[in-house]
Amino acid sequence: MGVVRTAAKIAIRTHLLTPGEDIVEVVEEYTKNIAEVGDLIAICESVVAITQGRLVRPKEVKAGALASFLCRFPARHGSLTSPAGMQLAINEVGPWRILLGAALGALGKIAGKKGLFYYIAGRQVALIDDVAGTMPPFEGYIVLGPKDPARVARAVWERTGVDTVIVDVNDLGCVDIVGASPGIKNQLVKRLLEDNPSGNYDQQTPITLIKDYLN
């Protein structure tokens, strides 16, 4: 039986990141003395979105009749169960795509196939975090998915020389790589991050460094 190597994972605590900060500079500052070529930097997607200013208070959203109707149907633990959340999804991809997703999602439920709504609506809709799913002190906001996450990951890689991914990870072992620098091995990265080393709530560790991750 071969030896199973356990990668060293370092959850990096940062200051509270807020809209307007340069996420590339932040990551460089917090990893510059510990990250090396051959390591992997993983950044929480919601924090990238927050620094981009992609967060909205529900009271600032004018929800239409379509959003108010469709928000009744997602599972209660989802992020589109409020009129404001659903309206922002409509704003992101347009009403027709949301309607098509809702129709196919309903048919999928009847057939016992889950996830068709988000498959049709797209990743940007799936990444929306409603007020119940956002870390303090932003729990009163709806946070959209980050804009151009692949570009952000590449910018970090170019600045630091270290492989970089932008990820959405939860405590159920689900890992979604929403942006990556060139040459990333997605399945390997997903296995390394499925234990969610950064946490999802108030740990304030939006950056995870995995040392020598390819060996």
Side-chain angles (χ1 to χ4, degrees):
M1 182 180 292
V3 175
V4 178
R5 182 182 179 275
T6 301
K9 304 172 188 179
I10 305 169
I12 300 175
R13 189 174 181 86
T14 69
H15 66 282
L16 179 65
L17 300 180
T18 56
E21 294 195 63
D22 186 326
I23 189 64
V24 177
E25 291 183 359
V26 168
V27 174
E28 179 185 32
E29 178 64 26
Y30 279 100
T31 63
K32 64 183 180 182
N33 295 321
I34 54 175
E36 304 171 294
V37 174
D39 296 346
L40 177 73
I41 295 171
I43 310 166
C44 174
E45 53 85 22
S46 61
V47 169
V48 176
I50 287 169
T51 62
Q52 294 174 334
R54 287 177 59 79
L55 68 171
V56 185
R57 287 189 181 276
K59 65 181 181 181
E60 297 171 353
V61 179
K62 186 176 181 179
L66 179 61
S68 299
F69 173 72
L70 291 179
C71 72
R72 305 172 188 176
F73 300 102
R76 291 300 94 188
H77 60 274
S79 288
L80 300 180
T81 56
S82 71
M86 185 62 74
Q87 184 62 52
L88 289 172
I90 292 170
N91 294 350
E92 284 286 284
V93 300
W96 294 112
R97 190 167 173 181
I98 294 295
L99 277 170
L100 178 60
L104 292 181
L107 292 175
K109 285 183 179 180
I110 296 171
K113 188 172 183 179
K114 298 181 179 179
L116 286 179
F117 171 76
Y118 287 108
Y119 178 78
I120 299 299
R123 174 174 278 171
Q124 282 302 113
V125 170
L127 289 174
I128 294 173
D129 281 330
D130 212 335
V131 292
T134 308
M135 62 185 180
F138 301 110
E139 66 269 32
Y141 291 82
I142 300 170
V143 179
L144 305 175
K147 190 172 181 62
D148 297 327
R151 180 190 59 78
V152 175
R154 187 181 185 98
V156 173
W157 169 67
E158 290 174 344
R159 183 77 65 89
T160 65
V162 179
D163 289 348
T164 301
V165 289
I166 313 295
V167 291
D168 181 22
V169 187
N170 65 32
D171 289 331
L172 300 177
C174 297
V175 180
D176 184 13
I177 299 172
V178 303
S181 58
I184 291 295
K185 297 181 178 180
N186 285 8
Q187 293 307 313
L188 171 62
V189 171
K190 288 180 178 181
R191 289 198 301 272
L192 290 170
L193 292 173
E194 64 185 3
D195 61 345
N196 195 14
S198 285
N200 281 95
Y201 194 55
D202 58 358
Q203 290 92 343
Q204 208 168 303
T205 52
I207 305 168
T208 298
L209 180 67
I210 303 180
K211 299 295 293 181
D212 199 18
Y213 81 107
L214 291 174
N215 294 321

